[in-house]
Amino acid sequence: MLTSYPSALWPTFVDLAQNGHLALHTWATFKATMVGFVASMVLGVAAAAALWWSAFVHRVLDPFLVVANAMPKIAFVPIFYIWLGSDYSVYGMAVAIAVFVTIMVAYDGFQATDPNKIKLARTLGASRWQVLRLVVLPGSVPTLIAALKMNIGLSLVGVIVGEFQSSSEGLGFLIVNGSQVFKLNIVMTAIVVLA
């Protein structure tokens, strides 16, 4: 009763698939994860570009970014629930968990761009915008790909945390709902689907 058992997972999986609950909850989690992933990548890269653009802005905001990244994001769940409502707080959590890491990783990638390439572009008359677009962003592709890899997992974590608190659908909701009624086979099946 308290732990379920492996042989109960397959019948539970089949039952959830047949009654449509598995598709509904998996799609809700997938959709929220993709929205959070894309939003945090766009916001993170834009913020990193702004920090690269202005050294003053970076000096001012860097301590706040470090603190915001270190803060346990689960503390934001009630705030997002009040600000965004039950439907959109899941997206807010996905972005909150992933965006700060994206900003810091992307900014480090921008800073690691070969200074000689930047100097060459400036010598040839490139504007700061052209340097960013034609030298820094293409030179940071490996770092941005690493940020993508981290970001997808972090977005999923944010979605699950948000679904635990306030959602009426999604795999996180299925886990919480199954645990509340002591149906650990549903909890374990949802965890396997998440994995």
Side-chain angles (χ1 to χ4, degrees), residues 19-106:
N19 65 24
H21 289 147
L22 187 64
L24 170 77
H25 294 297
T26 303
W27 173 248
T29 298
F30 177 77
K31 180 180 68 169
T33 301
M34 288 298 107
V35 169
F37 171 70
V38 170
S40 59
M41 279 305 295
V42 169
L43 291 172
V45 171
L51 295 174
W52 175 85
W53 191 277
S54 171
F56 173 75
V57 170
H58 177 258
R59 283 195 305 272
V60 170
L61 294 182
D62 186 53
F64 296 104
L65 288 171
V66 171
V67 168
N69 186 48
M71 184 173 180
K73 308 303 183 296
I74 197 163
F76 293 127
V77 171
I79 295 169
F80 286 138
Y81 184 76
I82 292 168
W83 287 353
L84 303 173
S86 62
D87 293 336
Y88 297 106
S89 62
V90 173
Y91 302 114
M93 279 307 300
V95 172
I97 287 182
V99 73
F100 297 110
V101 171
T102 306
I103 292 169
M104 292 195 291
V105 168

Side-chain angles (χ1 to χ4, degrees), residues 89-191:
S89 62
V90 173
Y91 302 114
M93 279 307 300
V95 172
I97 287 182
V99 73
F100 297 110
V101 171
T102 306
I103 292 169
M104 292 195 291
V105 168
Y107 177 76
D108 287 344
F110 293 171
Q111 286 297 102
T113 303
D114 186 356
N116 291 325
K117 290 181 181 178
I118 294 173
K119 188 183 289 185
L120 176 63
R122 290 236 174 105
T123 302
L124 294 173
S127 67
R128 193 149 177 84
W129 168 248
Q130 288 172 320
V131 170
L132 176 65
R133 188 171 53 91
L134 300 172
V135 179
V136 173
L137 282 173
S140 302
V141 167
T143 305
L144 293 176
I145 289 173
L148 286 170
K149 289 178 185 177
M150 287 187 296
N151 206 347
I152 191 69
L154 291 172
S155 295
L156 180 59
V157 168
V159 166
I160 297 302
V161 167
E163 288 175 350
F164 280 174
Q165 178 68 25
S166 64
S167 185
S168 59
E169 60 183 9
L171 293 172
F173 166 78
L174 203 59
I175 291 169
V176 169
N177 191 43
S179 67
Q180 289 173 345
V181 294
F182 291 101
K183 291 190 176 181
L184 271 293
N185 55 330
I186 292 176
V187 172
M188 297 299 185
T189 302
I191 290 171

